Structures are given as structure tokens and as C-alpha cells.
mmCIF file of all heavy atoms in Angstrom:
data_model
loop_
_atom_site.group_PDB
_atom_site.id
_atom_site.type_symbol
_atom_site.label_atom_id
_atom_site.label_comp_id
_atom_site.label_asym_id
_atom_site.label_seq_id
_atom_site.Cartn_x
_atom_site.Cartn_y
_atom_site.Cartn_z
ATOM 1 N N PRO A 253 101.275 133.779 72.450
ATOM 2 C CA PRO A 253 102.594 134.492 72.033
ATOM 3 C C PRO A 253 103.480 134.702 73.099
ATOM 4 O O PRO A 253 104.405 135.500 72.912
ATOM 5 C CB PRO A 253 101.902 135.855 71.547
ATOM 6 C CG PRO A 253 100.681 135.918 72.573
ATOM 7 C CD PRO A 253 100.199 134.510 72.811
ATOM 8 N N LEU A 254 103.382 133.991 74.247
ATOM 9 C CA LEU A 254 104.235 134.263 75.424
ATOM 10 C C LEU A 254 105.169 133.261 75.815
ATOM 11 O O LEU A 254 105.667 133.173 76.934
ATOM 12 C CB LEU A 254 103.363 134.676 76.605
ATOM 13 C CG LEU A 254 102.603 135.973 76.503
ATOM 14 C CD1 LEU A 254 101.586 136.124 77.663
ATOM 15 C CD2 LEU A 254 103.486 137.082 76.562
ATOM 16 N N ILE A 255 105.427 132.277 74.886
ATOM 17 C CA ILE A 255 106.539 131.296 75.149
ATOM 18 C C ILE A 255 107.865 131.937 74.955
ATOM 19 O O ILE A 255 108.030 133.126 74.471
ATOM 20 C CB ILE A 255 106.415 130.036 74.212
ATOM 21 C CG1 ILE A 255 106.530 130.447 72.793
ATOM 22 C CG2 ILE A 255 105.064 129.287 74.493
ATOM 23 C CD1 ILE A 255 106.695 129.256 71.850
ATOM 24 N N LYS A 256 108.947 131.213 75.277
ATOM 25 C CA LYS A 256 110.323 131.818 75.199
ATOM 26 C C LYS A 256 111.132 130.982 74.285
ATOM 27 O O LYS A 256 110.740 129.842 74.028
ATOM 28 C CB LYS A 256 110.840 131.895 76.658
ATOM 29 C CG LYS A 256 110.112 132.877 77.587
ATOM 30 C CD LYS A 256 110.811 132.767 78.924
ATOM 31 C CE LYS A 256 110.056 133.716 79.984
ATOM 32 N NZ LYS A 256 110.652 133.727 81.258
ATOM 33 N N GLU A 257 112.230 131.512 73.778
ATOM 34 C CA GLU A 257 113.252 130.918 72.981
ATOM 35 C C GLU A 257 113.645 129.542 73.555
ATOM 36 O O GLU A 257 113.749 128.630 72.845
ATOM 37 C CB GLU A 257 114.329 131.822 72.580
ATOM 38 C CG GLU A 257 115.370 131.086 71.744
ATOM 39 C CD GLU A 257 116.473 131.980 71.305
ATOM 40 O OE1 GLU A 257 116.196 133.084 70.791
ATOM 41 O OE2 GLU A 257 117.603 131.650 71.622
ATOM 42 N N GLU A 258 113.918 129.515 74.794
ATOM 43 C CA GLU A 258 114.435 128.369 75.514
ATOM 44 C C GLU A 258 113.372 127.318 75.535
ATOM 45 O O GLU A 258 113.707 126.072 75.477
ATOM 46 C CB GLU A 258 114.977 128.656 76.836
ATOM 47 C CG GLU A 258 114.055 129.370 77.798
ATOM 48 C CD GLU A 258 114.296 130.835 77.869
ATOM 49 O OE1 GLU A 258 114.435 131.406 76.816
ATOM 50 O OE2 GLU A 258 114.180 131.385 79.023
ATOM 51 N N THR A 259 112.090 127.632 75.525
ATOM 52 C CA THR A 259 111.059 126.575 75.470
ATOM 53 C C THR A 259 111.084 125.903 74.103
ATOM 54 O O THR A 259 110.932 124.687 74.055
ATOM 55 C CB THR A 259 109.663 127.238 75.761
ATOM 56 O OG1 THR A 259 109.617 127.905 76.960
ATOM 57 C CG2 THR A 259 108.650 126.129 75.864
ATOM 58 N N ILE A 260 111.310 126.619 72.977
ATOM 59 C CA ILE A 260 111.338 126.062 71.784
ATOM 60 C C ILE A 260 112.538 125.097 71.718
ATOM 61 O O ILE A 260 112.480 124.045 71.224
ATOM 62 C CB ILE A 260 111.403 127.076 70.682
ATOM 63 C CG1 ILE A 260 110.105 127.922 70.663
ATOM 64 C CG2 ILE A 260 111.657 126.580 69.311
ATOM 65 C CD1 ILE A 260 110.043 129.190 69.755
ATOM 66 N N THR A 261 113.664 125.650 72.115
ATOM 67 C CA THR A 261 114.967 124.842 72.122
ATOM 68 C C THR A 261 114.755 123.543 72.995
ATOM 69 O O THR A 261 115.158 122.421 72.524
ATOM 70 C CB THR A 261 116.059 125.685 72.789
ATOM 71 O OG1 THR A 261 116.282 126.839 72.014
ATOM 72 C CG2 THR A 261 117.355 124.895 72.855
ATOM 73 N N ASP A 262 114.069 123.647 74.155
ATOM 74 C CA ASP A 262 113.938 122.458 75.000
ATOM 75 C C ASP A 262 112.994 121.420 74.259
ATOM 76 O O ASP A 262 113.219 120.172 74.439
ATOM 77 C CB ASP A 262 113.310 122.916 76.368
ATOM 78 C CG ASP A 262 114.293 123.667 77.228
ATOM 79 O OD1 ASP A 262 115.493 123.541 76.978
ATOM 80 O OD2 ASP A 262 113.760 124.243 78.199
ATOM 81 N N ASN A 263 111.994 121.957 73.607
ATOM 82 C CA ASN A 263 111.110 120.979 72.861
ATOM 83 C C ASN A 263 111.905 120.233 71.767
ATOM 84 O O ASN A 263 111.724 118.977 71.615
ATOM 85 C CB ASN A 263 109.948 121.708 72.144
ATOM 86 C CG ASN A 263 108.761 121.828 73.045
ATOM 87 O OD1 ASN A 263 107.688 121.146 73.021
ATOM 88 N ND2 ASN A 263 108.851 122.732 74.134
ATOM 89 N N ILE A 264 112.760 120.977 70.990
ATOM 90 C CA ILE A 264 113.411 120.249 69.897
ATOM 91 C C ILE A 264 114.438 119.310 70.588
ATOM 92 O O ILE A 264 114.523 118.164 69.991
ATOM 93 C CB ILE A 264 114.313 121.397 69.162
ATOM 94 C CG1 ILE A 264 113.257 122.316 68.385
ATOM 95 C CG2 ILE A 264 115.201 120.705 68.153
ATOM 96 C CD1 ILE A 264 113.884 123.472 67.785
ATOM 97 N N ARG A 265 115.113 119.688 71.544
ATOM 98 C CA ARG A 265 116.101 118.698 72.139
ATOM 99 C C ARG A 265 115.420 117.440 72.696
ATOM 100 O O ARG A 265 115.873 116.398 72.531
ATOM 101 C CB ARG A 265 116.942 119.512 73.269
ATOM 102 C CG ARG A 265 118.097 118.531 73.897
ATOM 103 C CD ARG A 265 118.785 119.179 74.971
ATOM 104 N NE ARG A 265 117.850 119.445 76.064
ATOM 105 C CZ ARG A 265 117.536 120.650 76.540
ATOM 106 N NH1 ARG A 265 117.848 121.763 75.828
ATOM 107 N NH2 ARG A 265 116.708 120.725 77.558
ATOM 108 N N THR A 266 114.343 117.687 73.389
ATOM 109 C CA THR A 266 113.604 116.514 74.016
ATOM 110 C C THR A 266 113.059 115.591 72.971
ATOM 111 O O THR A 266 113.167 114.304 73.123
ATOM 112 C CB THR A 266 112.485 117.099 74.956
ATOM 113 O OG1 THR A 266 113.082 117.888 75.850
ATOM 114 C CG2 THR A 266 111.811 115.970 75.628
ATOM 115 N N VAL A 267 112.534 116.057 71.891
ATOM 116 C CA VAL A 267 111.996 115.219 70.845
ATOM 117 C C VAL A 267 113.246 114.379 70.187
ATOM 118 O O VAL A 267 113.137 113.198 69.966
ATOM 119 C CB VAL A 267 111.248 115.991 69.746
ATOM 120 C CG1 VAL A 267 110.921 115.045 68.573
ATOM 121 C CG2 VAL A 267 109.975 116.572 70.221
ATOM 122 N N ARG A 268 114.380 115.078 69.980
ATOM 123 C CA ARG A 268 115.512 114.382 69.425
ATOM 124 C C ARG A 268 115.927 113.256 70.336
ATOM 125 O O ARG A 268 116.459 112.190 69.879
ATOM 126 C CB ARG A 268 116.567 115.389 69.093
ATOM 127 C CG ARG A 268 116.354 116.298 68.013
ATOM 128 C CD ARG A 268 116.387 115.681 66.666
ATOM 129 N NE ARG A 268 116.091 116.564 65.587
ATOM 130 C CZ ARG A 268 115.517 116.214 64.388
ATOM 131 N NH1 ARG A 268 115.281 114.903 64.250
ATOM 132 N NH2 ARG A 268 115.228 117.052 63.542
ATOM 133 N N GLU A 269 115.873 113.536 71.654
ATOM 134 C CA GLU A 269 116.452 112.520 72.569
ATOM 135 C C GLU A 269 115.388 111.456 72.958
ATOM 136 O O GLU A 269 115.691 110.288 73.270
ATOM 137 C CB GLU A 269 116.774 113.266 73.934
ATOM 138 C CG GLU A 269 117.925 114.150 73.754
ATOM 139 C CD GLU A 269 118.329 114.976 75.081
ATOM 140 O OE1 GLU A 269 117.451 114.993 75.925
ATOM 141 O OE2 GLU A 269 119.334 115.635 75.022
ATOM 142 N N LYS A 270 114.019 111.802 72.978
ATOM 143 C CA LYS A 270 113.063 110.915 73.579
ATOM 144 C C LYS A 270 111.853 110.592 72.692
ATOM 145 O O LYS A 270 111.057 109.791 72.975
ATOM 146 C CB LYS A 270 112.527 111.455 74.964
ATOM 147 C CG LYS A 270 113.675 111.639 75.950
ATOM 148 C CD LYS A 270 113.186 112.107 77.188
ATOM 149 C CE LYS A 270 114.394 112.360 78.310
ATOM 150 N NZ LYS A 270 113.810 112.767 79.576
ATOM 151 N N GLY A 271 111.690 111.361 71.496
ATOM 152 C CA GLY A 271 110.611 111.062 70.607
ATOM 153 C C GLY A 271 109.357 111.929 70.607
ATOM 154 O O GLY A 271 108.901 112.303 69.493
ATOM 155 N N SER A 272 108.929 112.403 71.757
ATOM 156 C CA SER A 272 107.714 113.264 71.845
ATOM 157 C C SER A 272 107.807 114.064 73.174
ATOM 158 O O SER A 272 108.314 113.543 74.109
ATOM 159 C CB SER A 272 106.408 112.371 71.833
ATOM 160 O OG SER A 272 106.275 111.630 70.680
ATOM 161 N N CYS A 273 107.127 115.190 73.185
ATOM 162 C CA CYS A 273 107.163 115.926 74.470
ATOM 163 C C CYS A 273 105.951 116.965 74.479
ATOM 164 O O CYS A 273 105.475 117.333 73.468
ATOM 165 C CB CYS A 273 108.408 116.665 74.741
ATOM 166 S SG CYS A 273 108.767 118.110 73.715
ATOM 167 N N ILE A 274 105.578 117.276 75.666
ATOM 168 C CA ILE A 274 104.495 118.310 75.954
ATOM 169 C C ILE A 274 105.060 119.314 76.805
ATOM 170 O O ILE A 274 105.714 119.120 77.764
ATOM 171 C CB ILE A 274 103.282 117.586 76.708
ATOM 172 C CG1 ILE A 274 103.024 116.179 76.233
ATOM 173 C CG2 ILE A 274 102.138 118.586 76.564
ATOM 174 C CD1 ILE A 274 102.138 115.459 77.220
ATOM 175 N N THR A 275 104.786 120.617 76.391
ATOM 176 C CA THR A 275 105.184 121.656 77.247
ATOM 177 C C THR A 275 104.097 121.832 78.361
ATOM 178 O O THR A 275 102.924 121.873 78.075
ATOM 179 C CB THR A 275 105.169 123.002 76.491
ATOM 180 O OG1 THR A 275 106.093 122.871 75.457
ATOM 181 C CG2 THR A 275 105.631 124.170 77.318
ATOM 182 N N CYS A 276 104.535 121.942 79.590
ATOM 183 C CA CYS A 276 103.680 121.927 80.744
ATOM 184 C C CYS A 276 104.109 123.049 81.775
ATOM 185 O O CYS A 276 105.152 123.579 81.601
ATOM 186 C CB CYS A 276 103.767 120.585 81.454
ATOM 187 S SG CYS A 276 103.179 119.101 80.551
ATOM 188 N N VAL A 277 103.144 123.376 82.606
ATOM 189 C CA VAL A 277 103.487 124.133 83.736
ATOM 190 C C VAL A 277 103.054 123.421 85.001
ATOM 191 O O VAL A 277 101.955 122.723 84.875
ATOM 192 C CB VAL A 277 102.822 125.647 83.650
ATOM 193 C CG1 VAL A 277 103.361 126.382 82.488
ATOM 194 C CG2 VAL A 277 101.331 125.504 83.619
ATOM 195 N N PRO A 278 103.650 123.658 86.166
ATOM 196 C CA PRO A 278 103.156 123.049 87.344
ATOM 197 C C PRO A 278 101.843 123.592 87.817
ATOM 198 O O PRO A 278 101.557 124.735 87.500
ATOM 199 C CB PRO A 278 104.213 123.477 88.405
ATOM 200 C CG PRO A 278 105.510 123.748 87.565
ATOM 201 C CD PRO A 278 104.956 124.368 86.318
ATOM 202 N N THR A 279 101.024 122.819 88.361
ATOM 203 C CA THR A 279 99.791 123.239 88.837
ATOM 204 C C THR A 279 99.907 123.931 90.224
ATOM 205 O O THR A 279 100.712 123.505 90.996
ATOM 206 C CB THR A 279 98.690 121.985 88.986
ATOM 207 O OG1 THR A 279 97.467 122.638 89.425
ATOM 208 C CG2 THR A 279 99.208 121.011 89.882
ATOM 209 N N THR A 280 99.189 124.940 90.420
ATOM 210 C CA THR A 280 99.193 125.738 91.656
ATOM 211 C C THR A 280 97.957 125.622 92.444
ATOM 212 O O THR A 280 97.780 126.126 93.432
ATOM 213 C CB THR A 280 99.490 127.189 91.390
ATOM 214 O OG1 THR A 280 98.436 127.763 90.598
ATOM 215 C CG2 THR A 280 100.819 127.453 90.807
ATOM 216 N N GLU A 281 97.019 124.788 91.908
ATOM 217 C CA GLU A 281 95.731 124.550 92.588
ATOM 218 C C GLU A 281 95.485 122.994 92.598
ATOM 219 O O GLU A 281 96.101 122.211 91.837
ATOM 220 C CB GLU A 281 94.667 125.343 91.959
ATOM 221 C CG GLU A 281 94.852 126.829 92.025
ATOM 222 C CD GLU A 281 93.641 127.578 91.533
ATOM 223 O OE1 GLU A 281 92.514 127.130 91.777
ATOM 224 O OE2 GLU A 281 93.768 128.785 90.994
ATOM 225 N N THR A 282 94.429 122.593 93.233
ATOM 226 C CA THR A 282 94.078 121.219 93.457
ATOM 227 C C THR A 282 93.172 120.758 92.245
ATOM 228 O O THR A 282 92.147 121.499 92.097
ATOM 229 C CB THR A 282 93.554 120.873 94.752
ATOM 230 O OG1 THR A 282 94.429 121.244 95.770
ATOM 231 C CG2 THR A 282 93.074 119.433 94.899
ATOM 232 N N PHE A 283 93.437 119.644 91.647
ATOM 233 C CA PHE A 283 92.483 119.122 90.633
ATOM 234 C C PHE A 283 91.502 118.164 91.322
ATOM 235 O O PHE A 283 91.823 117.358 92.225
ATOM 236 C CB PHE A 283 93.261 118.299 89.656
ATOM 237 C CG PHE A 283 93.919 119.162 88.644
ATOM 238 C CD1 PHE A 283 95.339 119.221 88.612
ATOM 239 C CD2 PHE A 283 93.301 119.791 87.624
ATOM 240 C CE1 PHE A 283 96.013 119.989 87.631
ATOM 241 C CE2 PHE A 283 93.875 120.567 86.718
ATOM 242 C CZ PHE A 283 95.242 120.638 86.611
ATOM 243 N N VAL A 284 90.233 118.233 90.943
ATOM 244 C CA VAL A 284 89.229 117.389 91.363
ATOM 245 C C VAL A 284 88.672 116.685 90.058
ATOM 246 O O VAL A 284 88.200 117.316 89.220
ATOM 247 C CB VAL A 284 88.079 118.040 92.058
ATOM 248 C CG1 VAL A 284 86.973 117.125 92.437
ATOM 249 C CG2 VAL A 284 88.541 118.864 93.280
ATOM 250 N N VAL A 285 88.906 115.365 90.008
ATOM 251 C CA VAL A 285 88.508 114.505 88.799
ATOM 252 C C VAL A 285 87.364 113.751 89.096
ATOM 253 O O VAL A 285 87.285 112.865 89.989
ATOM 254 C CB VAL A 285 89.703 113.558 88.410
ATOM 255 C CG1 VAL A 285 89.346 112.820 87.177
ATOM 256 C CG2 VAL A 285 90.974 114.369 88.312
ATOM 257 N N GLY A 286 86.240 113.941 88.378
ATOM 258 C CA GLY A 286 84.953 113.168 88.578
ATOM 259 C C GLY A 286 85.087 111.799 87.979
ATOM 260 O O GLY A 286 85.777 111.521 86.984
ATOM 261 N N LYS A 287 84.482 110.901 88.659
ATOM 262 C CA LYS A 287 84.521 109.442 88.307
ATOM 263 C C LYS A 287 83.054 108.929 87.911
ATOM 264 O O LYS A 287 82.135 109.601 88.340
ATOM 265 C CB LYS A 287 84.990 108.613 89.439
ATOM 266 C CG LYS A 287 86.429 108.988 89.810
ATOM 267 C CD LYS A 287 86.884 108.292 91.020
ATOM 268 C CE LYS A 287 87.064 106.757 90.778
ATOM 269 N NZ LYS A 287 87.727 106.085 91.938
ATOM 270 N N PRO A 288 82.916 107.868 87.103
ATOM 271 C CA PRO A 288 81.589 107.518 86.670
ATOM 272 C C PRO A 288 80.616 107.150 87.787
ATOM 273 O O PRO A 288 79.371 107.244 87.619
ATOM 274 C CB PRO A 288 81.918 106.213 85.824
ATOM 275 C CG PRO A 288 83.384 106.368 85.329
ATOM 276 C CD PRO A 288 84.010 107.122 86.465
ATOM 277 N N ASP A 289 81.096 106.670 88.881
ATOM 278 C CA ASP A 289 80.226 106.424 90.012
ATOM 279 C C ASP A 289 79.765 107.584 90.891
ATOM 280 O O ASP A 289 79.173 107.449 91.933
ATOM 281 C CB ASP A 289 80.875 105.335 90.993
ATOM 282 C CG ASP A 289 82.303 105.903 91.518
ATOM 283 O OD1 ASP A 289 82.621 107.091 91.321
ATOM 284 O OD2 ASP A 289 83.055 105.062 92.083
ATOM 285 N N GLY A 290 80.143 108.764 90.365
ATOM 286 C CA GLY A 290 79.646 109.931 91.035
ATOM 287 C C GLY A 290 80.656 110.549 92.063
ATOM 288 O O GLY A 290 80.377 111.545 92.761
ATOM 289 N N LEU A 291 81.629 109.721 92.463
ATOM 290 C CA LEU A 291 82.709 110.128 93.382
ATOM 291 C C LEU A 291 83.736 110.884 92.614
ATOM 292 O O LEU A 291 83.770 111.070 91.555
ATOM 293 C CB LEU A 291 83.280 108.851 94.089
ATOM 294 C CG LEU A 291 82.166 107.971 94.915
ATOM 295 C CD1 LEU A 291 82.940 106.774 95.433
ATOM 296 C CD2 LEU A 291 81.504 108.929 95.986
ATOM 297 N N PHE A 292 84.768 111.393 93.428
ATOM 298 C CA PHE A 292 85.773 112.156 92.988
ATOM 299 C C PHE A 292 87.092 111.585 93.351
ATOM 300 O O PHE A 292 87.343 111.097 94.459
ATOM 301 C CB PHE A 292 85.639 113.640 93.415
ATOM 302 C CG PHE A 292 84.387 114.317 92.922
ATOM 303 C CD1 PHE A 292 83.247 114.229 93.702
ATOM 304 C CD2 PHE A 292 84.345 114.945 91.680
ATOM 305 C CE1 PHE A 292 82.051 114.838 93.234
ATOM 306 C CE2 PHE A 292 83.263 115.604 91.186
ATOM 307 C CZ PHE A 292 82.115 115.505 92.004
ATOM 308 N N GLU A 293 88.111 111.834 92.466
ATOM 309 C CA GLU A 293 89.490 111.594 92.870
ATOM 310 C C GLU A 293 90.301 112.828 92.847
ATOM 311 O O GLU A 293 90.047 113.777 91.969
ATOM 312 C CB GLU A 293 90.027 110.637 91.651
ATOM 313 C CG GLU A 293 91.595 110.277 91.895
ATOM 314 C CD GLU A 293 92.059 109.459 90.777
ATOM 315 O OE1 GLU A 293 91.316 109.005 89.873
ATOM 316 O OE2 GLU A 293 93.310 109.224 90.655
#
């Protein structure tokens, strides 16, 4: 319930211009991605 009107507007405009979009936020922490060989990326 905490999105904003401009987020809705931006989604509509982006789909009209480009076809599909995802609302995102920048990450503020580091991601560690596990790999099948047991190592990490």
C-alpha cells in the first residue's frame, strides 16, 4: 500500500513506450548468488 501516484504513471508510460516493465528499487546491500558447483557469484 505504499506506492505513489507517479509510480503508477511511470508504469503506464513505460509499457506504452516499451512493452513491459518492472518496478524496482536500488539495492543497498551486496547480493551473494549460489552456483551449482558450490561457489558463489
Side-chain angles (χ1 to χ4, degrees):
L254 292 171
I255 61 166
K256 298 180 179 179
E257 179 177 305
E258 52 263 43
T259 305
I260 296 173
T261 300
D262 289 344
N263 271 256
I264 293 170
R265 184 182 67 250
T266 302
V267 173
R268 290 291 176 205
E269 292 175 353
K270 300 181 179 180
S272 301
C273 72
I274 320 164
T275 303
C276 299
V277 295
T279 180
T280 57
E281 299 188 32
T282 300
F283 283 106
V284 178
V285 182
K287 300 174 69 176
D289 58 8
L291 299 176
F292 297 92
E293 178 183 352

